[in-house]
Amino acid sequence: MGELLVLQDLYNSFLFVFVRIFFFVAFSPVFSASQNIKVKIGFASSVSILLMGVLPVGQIPDEPLNIIYFAITEAVIGISMAMILKIIFSITEVSGHAMSQAGGLSFAVNSD
């Protein structure tokens, strides 16, 4: 009976780490939207197995509504991480466009 409780704890910790990582992978700009969902699920499950003991999961509730709330919280964390990465990529892209625009205009002024 004790082995089943250990397996249930491992499953719960894997599930909630997987939810967080999957939503990060699904919404991050690193993985393109045209990529297959099976690849994203496989990558998220592999990373979740590696991070299962490292990431803190917290106390997993017993009631079904609390489990759903906990899963939604993990999903929001994953989506937030992906959005922060998207913002960083957008800042880099806009600054690159500004530098290229300034460089092109300064070259045009000097070539007259």
Side-chain angles (χ1 to χ4, degrees):
M1 186 68 178
E3 295 87 15
L4 290 177
L5 292 176
V6 170
L7 287 177
Q8 184 179 9
D9 290 340
L10 285 174
Y11 174 73
N12 287 339
S13 64
F14 169 77
L15 182 67
F16 290 115
V17 170
F18 174 75
V19 168
R20 183 185 296 182
I21 298 297
F22 173 73
F23 277 97
F24 174 70
V25 169
F27 288 101
S28 68
V30 177
F31 298 96
S32 65
S34 63
Q35 206 167 28
N36 193 356
I37 191 72
K38 292 178 184 176
V39 173
K40 292 179 182 181
I41 291 172
F43 181 74
S45 62
S46 300
V47 171
S48 297
I49 289 172
L50 292 174
L51 294 177
M52 197 166 53
V54 178
L55 290 178
V57 177
Q59 184 63 29
I60 298 170
D62 293 333
E63 295 85 24
L65 289 177
N66 290 340
I67 291 174
I68 292 170
Y69 173 74
F70 197 70
I72 290 173
T73 304
E74 294 293 321
V76 168
I77 291 171
I79 292 171
S80 300
M81 292 188 310
M83 294 305 277
I84 289 171
L85 187 65
K86 175 67 175 167
I87 290 170
I88 291 171
F89 278 19
S90 296
I91 289 170
T92 307
E93 183 179 359
V94 168
S95 64
H97 283 294
M99 286 189 295
S100 69
Q101 188 73 9
L105 290 177
S106 67
F107 181 74
V109 168
N110 288 334
S111 64
D112 272 342

